[in-house]
Amino acid sequence: MTRQALPFLENLNTPIVHCLYSAVASLSQTRQAHAYIMKTGLLADTHLSTRLISRYANHHSFVEADLVLRSISDPSISSFSTLIYALNKSNLFTQSLNVFSRMLSHGVLLDTHVLPNVVKACGKLSALKFGREIHCIVCKYGFDSDSVVQASLVHLYLKSDRLRDARNVFERLPEGDVVTYGALLSAYARKGCVNEVKEIFSGMQNYGLEPNVVSWNGMITGFNQSGNYVEAVVMFQEMHSKGFQPDHITISSVLSAVGDIERFNVGIQVLCYVIKLGLLHCKFVISALIDMFGKCACAGDLMKAFEETNEELMDVGARNALLTALSRNGLLDGAMEVFERFRVRGRELNVVSWTSMIAGCSQNGKDIEALELFREMQSAGVKPNSVTIPCLLPACGNIAALVHGKAAHGFALRTGIIADVHVGSALVDMYAKCGRIHLSRLCFDRIPNKNSVCWNAIMGGYAMHGKANEAIDIFHLMQQKGHKPDFISFSCVLSACSQGGLTEQGWRFFNSMYEDYGIEAKMEHYSCMVNLLGRSGKLEEAYTMIKQMPFEPHACVWGALLSSCRLHNNIRLGKIAARNLFELEPNNPGNYILLSNIYASKAMWDEVDAVRDVMRSRGMKKNPGCSWIEIKNQVHMLLAGDKSNPQMTEIIEKLHKLSLEMKKAGYLPNTNLVLQDVDEQDKEQILCGHSEKLAVALGLLNTPPGSPLQIIKNLRICGDCHAVIKFISGFEGREIYVRDTNRFHHFKDGVCSCGDFW
């Protein structure tokens, strides 16, 4: 050794430099060592400079670490890989790739240590293009024979949802490992690729590898997410038989799958296993158990599980699962009670909780309660989202609460969720149900990315308004835009043909379903066709179609025939339809009333009495006519013959004055529509008490002259009320919208949009 080298070695052997090899050296000590190394010219020592980079990186001083790297005249691969590894560890993946790019520009030879780290960074950043470039480098320099490098590429492609590329790299792996196998199994399971999972699973065992708990969890969760619930349950059973103990995530996934296939007995077995494992205290498991009970329609067990659960163990997810499960099983009152209990006790509730309750009310006929909940939700400081609004809008449409619907529309505009396709579709439906089909079309035209729900909503709206030609035009436009109609699309267009009496077009659409689109006709399509033929007076053809159906007709089909028989007073076919309906719906009074009305139209009073005697013996009562009208942001309900409204005296007086004006104009009440054996004067009184007339009169008394009226009726509007409201629209100069169970009637200037065909 020369004398000149001795000072260099002496510089290395100092306490300051030694701190670089200490795990507890502070940042201050590292900086002192850095200064000493620069002063003594030791920075050229690659090993020493790499240690310095490592110490700075350990203190997250990446700027200083990078300065050291840049100051090295001839950096080695270890210098670059040290910083790349540290940046990855701190989730600074973009900086990691930047350092790698500089490494390539220096012409530094790569190794099997740095490449997996760089590929990982690409995966975390979803930088697939850069990842492919690295894959090319791997192949070019012969690193494709290294298992670790290849495995990192498999994970990259899986994270980028490039399953085929991942499988291609996987097939070239010189030696597989449990983690890579598990990742590939989970990915295929999430895609619902059952055969591929079985194939890879079998190959794994052929190599003498057994899946670990993570692999099992990935497969079970993946199958559950992809809707392959049976496979998820089977995989769980196999996991158990192999002696692997699942964690709370696996248990939650399999309980969800059990609920979706409604295998309650399997759910009870899993519950026993949960108790054995001591996981009953886990919030995720509690939430999944409640969800499973709800999906299996076990309301009693659901409530028992809730009552026996410590509320402190229930997180907001479990509370939401409980509320949803109760609503789903028709226990809305119970859900409302539990919801209120949570609120009173100060339990955490979020937007999902409120939205679930609003949806439950909308779906169970409690529309006014849904509107009230929405108001309370905002008062509580919970911000509605793009799911809440589509749940609320059906309630607005159901009771024609146009003001509330417009307010929800305004909220969607202000919060920027108007572009959401579900919000747009719900607005289309709401405006159509509120009688504003032109606004419905405007909303439809402004939806940026339309799906089948949007197209069906506007088609259904046009059908509801009797605009058959417009509905057919939308159907054709849908096809031109590249959207394939589904079975709901055909239900909408067939309904439109029915409202317009377009028999030939209806047959063409019905036959086109299978011939052009391979869609088998469902019950609702046959119901639409029977209604179309029946309303057009082709009752025998409708009956023949029913007899030729490939499956047993449901009540909706026989109901369509019975309603048509009532329209055309066909006793023979009416009796056949009624007899079938009595078997299918023995407790539905509407069917008895329709048959009774057919008899009454022919003055067959003995038969009328016989039908009504049967109703009395079974404790059935006729559903009273009921109408709703929104006045000054408040929805009013009026029942036929009900005198409880505080303005009833004024209402009757208004109708009496209008009746006198109508008689002057030559109109006489159509007492033939009163299907009761009473005198003419009593028949006129009965007609006067129909709920839609009461609602119109209430609207006339409480709204400014010339303003439109919006009314909903729970039954089909009768011919006399139809004629009366036509007259009122012209005499009072009002637009009057009436929605009955069949369609919309838009009265204006003494004319109705239905053309007197309904």
Side-chain angles (χ1 to χ4, degrees):
M1 183 177 295
T2 64
R3 183 175 295 274
Q4 287 81 1
L6 287 174
F8 181 79
L9 292 174
E10 289 172 2
N11 289 334
L12 285 175
N13 191 25
T14 64
I16 294 178
V17 174
H18 282 170
C19 80
L20 296 179
Y21 297 88
S22 170
V24 295
S26 67
L27 179 60
S28 175
Q29 290 174 317
T30 303
R31 285 171 175 164
Q32 288 176 15
H34 187 185
Y36 179 80
I37 289 168
M38 291 184 68
K39 180 180 177 181
T40 56
L42 295 177
L43 201 59
D45 185 281
T46 305
H47 178 71
L48 199 59
S49 58
T50 300
R51 290 301 304 169
L52 188 59
I53 292 170
S54 176
R55 293 314 307 155
Y56 273 131
N58 284 349
H59 291 292
H60 301 283
S61 296
F62 295 112
V63 173
E64 289 170 288
D66 191 51
L67 284 172
V68 173
L69 180 61
R70 289 176 183 276
S71 64
I72 301 173
S73 58
D74 189 21
S76 67
I77 187 167
S78 61
S79 306
F80 282 103
S81 61
T82 297
L83 184 54
I84 289 170
Y85 174 78
L87 289 167
N88 270 12
K89 194 175 177 181
S90 296
N91 297 325
L92 299 171
F93 302 110
T94 301
Q95 293 92 317
S96 175
L97 293 182
N98 289 336
V99 172
F100 178 72
S101 297
R102 280 176 23 220
M103 177 181 172
L104 293 178
S105 66
H106 274 78
V108 177
L109 293 177
L110 305 176
D111 64 13
T112 56
H113 298 291
V114 73
L115 284 169
N117 280 297
V118 177
V119 173
K120 177 184 176 182
C122 292
K124 292 292 186 180
L125 294 171
S126 299
L128 180 61
K129 184 179 179 182
F130 196 21
R132 285 190 182 282
E133 292 175 2
I134 295 172
H135 191 175
C136 292
I137 293 171
V138 166
C139 296
K140 180 179 178 180
Y141 292 101
F143 293 109
D144 51 350
S145 60
D146 185 88
S147 297
V148 178
V149 174
Q150 290 291 80
S152 68
L153 286 167
V154 172
H155 289 284
L156 164 68
Y157 287 124
L158 289 177
K159 284 188 173 75
S160 303
D161 201 26
R162 308 288 294 193
L163 203 49
R164 183 177 296 177
D165 292 330
R167 183 68 181 273
N168 288 337
V169 176
F170 177 80
E171 297 292 352
R172 294 179 174 85
L173 267 174
E175 184 180 343
D177 64 275
V178 173
V179 175
T180 307
Y181 268 105
L184 198 62
L185 285 168
S186 300
Y188 272 116
R190 283 194 297 274
K191 293 287 186 182
C193 304
V194 179
N195 293 331
E196 285 80 358
V197 168
K198 291 179 179 178
E199 181 186 338
I200 296 169
F201 192 76
S202 175
M204 186 177 185
Q205 292 176 318
N206 290 339
Y207 277 106
L209 296 172
E210 279 291 337
N212 58 15
V213 173
V214 176
S215 302
W216 287 106
N217 289 350
M219 286 186 287
I220 293 167
T221 304
F223 277 136
N224 186 41
Q225 291 173 349
S226 63
N228 290 273
Y229 308 119
V230 174
E231 284 77 11
V233 175
V234 170
M235 198 62 70
F236 177 78
Q237 292 170 330
E238 189 169 347
M239 175 186 184
H240 180 252
S241 69
K242 296 279 187 182
F244 289 92
Q245 183 171 308
D247 60 11
H248 63 281
I249 297 174
T250 312
I251 293 289
S252 301
S253 292
V254 79
L255 282 171
S256 176
V258 168
D260 284 309
I261 60 176
E262 299 180 13
R263 295 287 297 276
F264 184 61
N265 58 330
V266 178
I268 292 299
Q269 293 174 23
V270 177
L271 173 58
C272 294
Y273 190 50
V274 166
I275 295 170
K276 180 181 177 182
L277 294 175
L279 291 174
L280 205 53
H281 66 280
C282 176
K283 294 178 180 181
F284 298 105
V285 174
I286 291 171
S287 178
L289 275 170
I290 291 171
D291 183 61
M292 184 271 291
F293 282 129
K295 287 176 179 175
C296 292
C298 298
D301 297 284
L302 173 64
M303 286 306 297
K304 185 179 178 182
F306 168 61
E307 296 297 343
E308 292 179 357
T309 300
N310 183 352
E311 271 193 39
E312 297 294 335
L313 293 177
M314 293 182 68
D315 62 2
V316 68
R319 286 189 278 274
N320 291 342
L322 176 64
L323 295 171
T324 302
L326 290 170
S327 298
R328 184 191 292 137
N329 286 283
L331 301 174
L332 184 62
D333 291 338
M336 295 285 282
E337 183 182 329
V338 171
F339 180 76
E340 191 58 33
R341 187 196 306 184
F342 287 152
R343 291 181 65 190
V344 170
R345 294 182 180 179
R347 305 297 183 195
E348 182 189 356
L349 295 169
N350 59 14
V351 63
V352 178
S353 320
W354 286 91
T355 299
S356 178
M357 295 309 304
I358 291 169
C361 289
S362 294
Q363 293 162 9
N364 289 277
K366 293 184 177 290
D367 303 302
I368 294 175
E369 289 85 346
L371 299 179
E372 181 62 22
L373 272 171
F374 183 70
R375 186 191 65 78
E376 290 179 16
M377 175 185 185
Q378 292 175 290
S379 299
V382 181
K383 186 178 178 181
N385 60 18
S386 59
V387 180
T388 312
I389 298 302
C391 290
L392 172 74
L393 288 171
C396 301
N398 291 341
I399 56 174
L402 182 61
V403 173
H404 290 84
K406 284 185 173 181
H409 189 177
F411 177 87
L413 285 166
R414 290 193 304 275
T415 55
I417 61 173
I418 193 68
D420 184 277
V421 68
H422 302 292
V423 174
S425 300
L427 283 168
V428 170
D429 181 67
M430 182 274 294
Y431 279 121
K433 287 179 177 175
C434 288
R436 306 304 192 269
I437 191 65
H438 62 291
L439 295 179
S440 185
R441 181 58 187 267
L442 279 174
C443 289
F444 171 78
D445 289 337
R446 290 175 181 175
I447 297 174
N449 299 304
K450 298 177 179 66
N451 61 10
S452 59
V453 178
C454 312
W455 292 97
N456 294 341
I458 190 64
M459 258 191 290
Y462 277 132
M464 188 191 305
H465 284 261
K467 295 181 176 291
N469 292 326
E470 288 85 344
I472 292 171
D473 289 342
I474 286 288
F475 185 89
H476 293 314
L477 182 61
M478 177 183 185
Q479 293 172 297
Q480 291 169 16
K481 295 293 184 180
H483 291 270
K484 184 179 178 181
D486 57 18
F487 74 97
I488 298 175
S489 310
F490 280 100
S491 294
C492 293
V493 78
L494 287 173
S495 175
C497 291
S498 177
Q499 296 294 347
L502 306 178
T503 310
E504 291 183 11
Q505 290 95 321
W507 270 119
R508 280 201 296 271
F509 283 117
F510 184 81
N511 292 327
S512 169
M513 261 197 307
Y514 184 75
E515 292 173 2
D516 298 332
Y517 299 97
I519 298 174
E520 295 278 359
K522 296 179 182 290
M523 196 67 68
E524 53 264 45
H525 302 123
Y526 281 100
S527 177
C528 286
M529 284 304 298
V530 169
N531 190 47
L532 169 58
L533 296 169
R535 282 163 52 84
S536 301
K538 300 180 179 182
L539 292 168
E540 292 294 341
E541 193 175 340
Y543 182 47
T544 299
M545 185 178 203
I546 292 175
K547 291 189 290 185
Q548 293 175 349
M549 284 174 61
F551 38 76
E552 286 296 314
H554 286 186
C556 61
V557 176
W558 288 114
L561 181 62
L562 183 59
S563 296
S564 298
C565 290
R566 166 66 190 93
L567 186 65
H568 298 287
N569 299 323
N570 188 309
I571 293 176
R572 184 181 70 83
L573 291 178
K575 288 168 67 176
I576 293 172
R579 185 167 60 247
N580 283 279
L581 284 166
F582 295 160
E583 291 179 8
L584 292 167
E585 299 178 328
N587 298 315
N588 184 352
N591 299 324
Y592 292 87
I593 295 297
L594 278 173
L595 180 61
S596 171
N597 289 346
I598 294 173
Y599 286 138
S601 68
K602 299 291 187 180
M604 299 168 66
W605 302 115
D606 290 341
E607 286 78 0
V608 170
D609 291 338
V611 172
R612 302 206 171 182
D613 286 342
V614 172
M615 290 180 65
R616 277 191 291 271
S617 68
R618 297 187 179 181
M620 289 187 286
K621 293 182 179 179
K622 177 183 177 181
N623 294 324
C626 180
S627 294
W628 292 265
I629 182 170
E630 185 181 24
I631 300 172
K632 297 175 183 176
N633 298 343
Q634 185 176 356
V635 178
H636 301 263
M637 182 176 71
L638 296 104
L639 291 170
D642 181 25
K643 297 183 179 180
S644 62
N645 190 287
Q647 288 186 270
M648 188 53 66
T649 302
E650 299 168 68
I651 290 171
I652 297 299
E653 184 180 343
K654 180 67 175 178
L655 287 174
H656 178 67
K657 290 179 180 178
L658 286 169
S659 177
L660 293 176
E661 294 294 337
M662 291 161 70
K663 287 179 179 178
K664 288 179 186 177
Y667 163 82
L668 293 175
N670 188 355
T671 55
N672 290 330
L673 295 169
V674 179
L675 302 175
Q676 297 178 34
D677 192 11
V678 295
D679 60 35
E680 290 298 307
Q681 187 174 355
D682 289 337
K683 287 183 178 182
E684 286 194 32
Q685 287 294 325
I686 291 169
L687 287 173
C688 184
H690 281 192
S691 64
E692 56 266 55
K693 288 179 184 170
L694 300 177
V696 169
L698 182 66
L700 293 173
L701 292 168
N702 293 281
T703 57
S707 59
L709 302 178
Q710 176 82 44
I711 294 152
I712 292 179
K713 176 155 190 205
N714 67 332
L715 303 172
R716 184 174 177 271
I717 188 172
C718 78
D720 183 72
C721 289
H722 192 269
V724 168
I725 297 173
K726 276 203 303 182
F727 173 83
I728 292 173
S729 70
F731 182 77
E732 293 280 348
R734 300 277 193 131
E735 285 188 62
I736 304 174
Y737 301 87
V738 178
R739 191 181 87 207
D740 65 9
T741 54
N742 191 41
R743 58 162 293 156
F744 245 106
H745 299 267
H746 179 195
F747 299 93
K748 183 179 180 181
D749 299 329
V751 178
C752 180
S753 60
C754 73
D756 298 337
F757 180 81
W758 82 100

